[in-house]
Amino acid sequence: MTNTPPLPADGSSTLRPSPSVVARATDVVRVFGSGDTAVRAVAGITASFRRGEMTAIVGPSGSGKSTMMHLLAGLDTPSSGTIELDGQLIARLSDDHLAALRHERMGFVFQSFNLLPGLTALENIRLPESLGARQRSRDDVWERELIARLDIGRVLHRRPHELSGGQQQRIAIARALAHRPAVVFADEPTGNLDLATGDIVLRLLSELVVDSGCGVILVTHDPRAASRADRVLALRDGRVVAELGRANATDISALMLADAHDHSDASLRTP
Amino acid sequence: MIASGGRLAAAITVAASAAYIVVLTSGFALVKAGVLSTPFGEGATAHVVLGVLSIAFLVVALVVATVVVTNAFTLVTATRLRDIALRRLLGASARTERRRILREGARLSLAASGVGLLVGAAGVVGLTIAAAAHREPGQALAITDVVDPSIVLPLIALQGCVVLAAWRGSAAVVSADPATALGAAIVTESGGDGDRRIGWAARLLLATGLILLGLSVLGGALTPLAAFVGVAGGTVLAAGILASATGILPRFLRLIARILPRRGPAAIARATLAEHPARTARAALAITIGVSIVTMFAVASASTNLSLRLMYAGTPLEDSATSVIDDVLGIVGVLVAMIVLIAAVGLATSVALGTRLRGREIAARRVLGQSRRHAVISVVLETVVICATATLAGLLLGAVLGWVGAQSVLGSALPWKMVVPAIPVSLVAVLAAGTLLVAVASAVMPVRFVMTDSPIRAFARA
């Protein structure tokens, strides 16, 4: 890359990514602050995320997992390194491009659901259609299928405050998947749910991932939630310290605990 | 920062109201002294008119102050909900928490009233000097002409209103869930469905107010004492409107919002307008009150002027009559300006509250892919629709009340027993321009929020 290449306006890429990769981070660093108080929240992460796969990013608070998610979603800009999303380098995109990219290619599921309180469940599912610069067309067949599989047909005309947490999160999942995004970001989606409900929500999400062919990036510190993922990336102090395939909650929590010990010892030794 | 802003708004409002009360009572005392030396001094009409006017102005100011201080305390409470939840978690009862806010309200009210009293006194000294210069020599101005001991009553009433406002504004304390302090749960607004209904008490107030106003219009043809019925009717109606604002204003808003297109950012503005009836109504209320007061007095004085000019046309009293009216209008102008100032403070606090509560929603929409430009457009459209609705409502209400007031006071004095309604055209133009200005000004904060904040930072803070 000698010269800065012009931005591909139509979403085609100069990078020729492998078609199965929906997001890729290369040597990503994110530093907050400067000088003595600088904090390297993300200290050089290289990772890729594939279609039809749910990848969990786990780690204790302060491990950089949230920052990493924000960077991948284009909500924050890396200090160095590149991020490629659905074949586009997003580091140099303008705010409006990023908004359009989030609108068309990404879906979001939040810990606190973030449904608009004045809209009915169905209106919430359809809300993103009118958010972007372009009116998004609706895929009625897919919407009906989502509603059926998430079992929310009976509550479509209720408002969020009349729904249970699990129902709200299922509405949020329908909202995130309605436009068949390339990637769905789920930020502690089970954080406000009880264990059983959280389990159901994650199972639905992972099934839908396989069927819709998008990738899910699940950020969590809950080993149980992570055990639903196809792949687990463990983060500590802004670095990937371990990578597992599908694993059970015991293994994941053992990994997180062991890693915490190793690492605190290591950090004690370094000046 | 916002919490202290809320307290500041409450303090400014109380101080301005206290100063207003001082200026009002002394000003009217001065005018009374002035009127007695004119040929109108013998007539009962002038006394009644002045008495009614000063009471009406007091009531209006107390009502406005209560609304604005309630808003300010709602804002203060909203920003402290997390602290309150923490104290509740550690064992404080909702009652103690509310009492704490009440005590704070009372202290603030006393201190601000003191400041207001001093400012008002300074204003009165200026007014007296001006009046003395105006007088013919030999007509000394007695201290009793200026200082009216009955001033204590409205000042006490003001304290009562502030405490009431603090109580109502702190209602959210009850809903502060101790669990929110644990950090997992998110502070959410309760659904506003209950707010949309108009209670029977409000209906009763509205009906009573309208009946009293009707009676004062008819009675005005017989005696100026009908004005007291009119003031009572206006007060009851205002109380009814305040009690039902969260029910009435959203309906009005929905009607006006129909002009917005159903697609793009306008659709989002439509949705958010319908979403928080209580919040939107609070923001609109301050403008509605301000506009209706300005309109009320403009219409009342224009109608009175027109009617008196028609009545005294060609007689030597024509000039004298209008000069008394000009005196009154001079003071009325000052008072109206002060009320508008208080209402503007109210608007600013409502907007600050709205932005704070809306921050999370704006952030959520931005994360879901709304562009900055569209976020700005929907915020501006929202404020424009709120301001336009509030102005229209205020114009209608003020015009009716203004004419009723003029009719109830003056109807009997006119040979044809009916005050001719007059609406100053310039008023409508000024109000339209003012509304646009206010809409733009109140959109500045949310727009800056949208322009400068990354959605993630907004989330972290909200």
Side-chain angles (χ1 to χ4, degrees):
Chain A
M1 282 228 268
T2 46
N3 294 326
T4 317
L7 196 67
D10 57 347
S12 69
S13 172
T14 49
L15 291 171
R16 310 261 174 269
S18 76
S20 68
V21 172
V22 282
R24 193 200 311 266
T26 314
D27 298 325
V28 170
V29 174
R30 178 68 169 103
V31 183
F32 290 107
S34 60
D36 291 345
T37 56
V39 175
R40 285 162 78 87
V42 173
I45 288 181
T46 299
S48 52
F49 304 88
R50 283 181 284 277
R51 252 175 225 292
E53 194 177 77
M54 174 141 82
T55 307
I57 301 182
V58 299
S61 339
S63 60
K65 58 187 192 304
S66 294
T67 308
M68 192 59 206
M69 189 203 90
H70 297 159
L71 290 166
L72 286 167
L75 293 166
D76 194 1
T77 319
S79 308
S80 68
T82 56
I83 286 167
E84 185 194 323
L85 204 132
D86 199 27
Q88 278 205 55
L89 273 175
I90 64 170
R92 267 178 259 107
L93 290 183
S94 70
D95 190 79
D96 279 355
H97 269 94
L98 283 173
L101 198 62
R102 286 200 295 275
H103 185 235
E104 278 150 37
R105 309 302 301 140
M106 304 183 208
F108 291 88
V109 179
F110 307 92
Q111 176 175 8
S112 50
F113 321 133
N114 278 320
L115 302 176
L116 298 200
L119 301 182
T120 64
L122 185 62
E123 284 166 345
N124 262 297
I125 294 173
R126 292 177 175 174
L127 167 78
E129 287 169 14
S130 50
L131 279 179
R134 263 180 300 173
Q135 184 87 8
R136 207 155 73 184
S137 63
R138 185 184 305 153
D139 183 342
D140 285 315
V141 179
W142 175 234
E143 187 187 87
R144 270 200 297 278
E145 190 186 334
L146 277 175
I147 289 170
R149 291 184 55 178
L150 290 162
D151 193 24
I152 46 179
R154 276 165 301 142
V155 298
L156 284 178
H157 299 290
R158 300 217 194 131
R159 287 172 197 274
H161 67 94
E162 301 167 310
L163 303 176
S164 70
Q167 286 169 328
Q168 289 193 52
Q169 198 60 301
R170 280 182 278 161
I171 304 286
I173 290 175
R175 178 175 72 181
L177 289 169
H179 58 299
R180 293 182 174 277
V183 201
V184 170
F185 293 93
D187 188 2
E188 302 277 8
T190 57
N192 278 347
L193 303 176
D194 62 74
L195 281 180
T197 314
D199 240 30
I200 294 170
V201 161
L202 278 178
R203 200 191 66 229
L204 284 167
L205 187 59
S206 65
E207 284 170 13
L208 287 165
V209 168
V210 177
D211 295 0
S212 69
C214 67
V216 172
I217 297 174
L218 167 72
V219 171
T220 184
H221 61 255
D222 174 11
R224 246 180 109 96
S227 69
R228 283 268 166 209
D230 303 299
R231 200 162 63 104
V232 179
L233 293 180
L235 259 58
R236 171 112 201 141
D237 293 339
R239 289 198 172 80
V240 178
V241 288
E243 187 174 340
L244 295 178
R246 190 174 266 283
N248 62 41
T250 321
D251 290 349
I252 296 171
S253 77
L255 170 78
M256 284 168 76
L257 286 169
D259 157 59
H261 290 303
D262 292 355
H263 222 83
S264 49
D265 290 350
S267 57
L268 280 176
R269 280 195 299 274
T270 44
Chain B
M1 193 201 87
I2 292 179
S4 62
R7 276 205 304 277
L8 184 68
I12 290 176
T13 308
V14 176
S17 306
Y20 170 98
I21 288 171
V22 175
V23 172
L24 173 82
T25 42
S26 309
F28 273 95
L30 269 177
V31 171
K32 226 183 224 166
V35 169
L36 291 179
S37 62
T38 69
F40 298 96
E42 287 101 56
T45 314
H47 285 273
V48 172
V49 169
L50 288 174
V52 167
L53 264 183
S54 58
I55 291 176
F57 266 104
L58 268 178
V59 169
V60 164
L62 288 179
V63 167
V64 174
T66 310
V67 171
V68 173
V69 175
T70 306
N71 265 350
F73 271 94
T74 312
L75 179 66
V76 170
T77 310
T79 51
R80 285 193 198 153
L81 228 44
R82 255 173 198 284
D83 292 358
I84 293 170
L86 179 63
R87 281 200 295 268
R88 297 264 287 112
L89 181 75
L90 298 177
S93 75
R95 269 171 76 99
T96 16
E97 284 309 311
R98 251 184 125 173
R99 282 223 194 100
R100 181 201 290 275
I101 293 182
L102 268 190
R103 267 203 303 278
E104 188 182 343
R107 267 203 303 274
L108 179 146
S109 175
L110 282 175
S113 297
V115 173
L117 216 63
L118 291 179
V119 173
V124 169
V125 170
L127 212 69
T128 315
I129 292 171
H134 213 63
R135 281 168 169 252
E136 290 129 48
Q139 272 188 307
L141 204 59
I143 187 78
T144 47
D145 287 347
V146 186
V147 180
D148 189 341
S150 65
I151 192 175
V152 180
L153 291 176
L155 285 176
I156 291 173
L158 177 66
Q159 310 306 313
C161 286
V162 174
V163 172
L164 176 76
W167 180 255
R168 282 185 46 201
S170 63
V173 168
V174 178
S175 68
D177 182 358
T180 53
L182 296 172
I186 301 300
V187 182
T188 47
E189 278 186 283
S190 55
D193 282 341
D195 291 327
R196 283 177 217 203
R197 262 174 282 136
I198 301 171
W200 59 267
R203 280 172 202 273
L204 194 69
L205 286 172
L206 289 174
T208 315
L210 285 174
I211 291 171
L212 287 178
L213 285 179
L215 285 178
S216 80
V217 166
L218 297 177
L222 304 172
T223 163
L225 291 173
F228 287 110
V229 181
V231 171
T235 313
V236 173
L237 186 75
I241 289 175
L242 290 181
S244 60
T246 49
I248 293 179
L249 280 173
R251 276 161 223 235
F252 216 60
L253 265 172
R254 227 166 301 149
L255 212 67
I256 304 248
R258 288 210 181 149
I259 53 171
L260 292 178
R262 285 177 175 277
R263 297 184 149 245
I268 301 295
R270 264 174 90 114
T272 25
L273 280 173
E275 205 171 299
H276 303 291
R279 187 199 300 175
T280 337
R282 268 202 298 270
L285 203 54
I287 306 178
T288 304
I289 290 175
V291 169
S292 63
I293 288 165
V294 173
T295 312
M296 182 166 89
F297 287 109
V299 167
S301 62
S303 305
T304 308
N305 242 335
L306 182 65
S307 299
L308 285 186
R309 271 175 211 285
L310 289 173
M311 185 167 128
Y312 289 115
T315 71
L317 277 174
E318 185 181 1
D319 282 344
S320 177
T322 47
S323 102
V324 170
I325 288 174
D326 285 345
D327 268 7
V328 175
L329 283 188
I331 292 182
V332 166
V334 173
L335 295 177
V336 166
M338 287 175 83
I339 292 181
V340 169
L341 174 87
I342 298 172
V345 172
L347 178 68
T349 52
S350 300
V351 169
L353 178 67
T355 310
R356 186 188 161 81
L357 295 175
R358 224 158 40 165
R360 210 183 163 79
E361 274 166 40
I362 297 175
R365 295 203 305 254
R366 291 269 296 127
V367 171
L368 292 177
Q370 194 176 32
S371 71
R372 250 187 198 146
R373 202 168 58 87
H374 278 202
V376 169
I377 291 176
S378 38
V379 166
V380 171
L381 276 178
E382 258 174 67
T383 29
V384 167
V385 169
I386 292 177
C387 288
T389 309
T391 307
L392 224 57
L395 262 175
L396 278 173
L397 186 66
V400 170
L401 288 181
W403 176 76
V404 169
Q407 160 66 14
S408 65
V409 171
L410 270 178
S412 61
L414 298 172
W416 56 89
K417 303 296 178 203
M418 189 64 92
V419 169
V420 186
I423 298 177
V425 184
S426 59
L427 172 79
V428 179
V430 167
L431 285 178
T435 304
L436 201 66
L437 203 73
V438 166
V440 170
S442 57
V444 163
M445 213 169 12
V447 164
R448 263 182 44 194
F449 179 83
V450 171
M451 292 310 287
T452 54
D453 239 29
S454 88
I456 281 316
R457 275 209 309 272
F459 257 123
R461 219 186 22 234

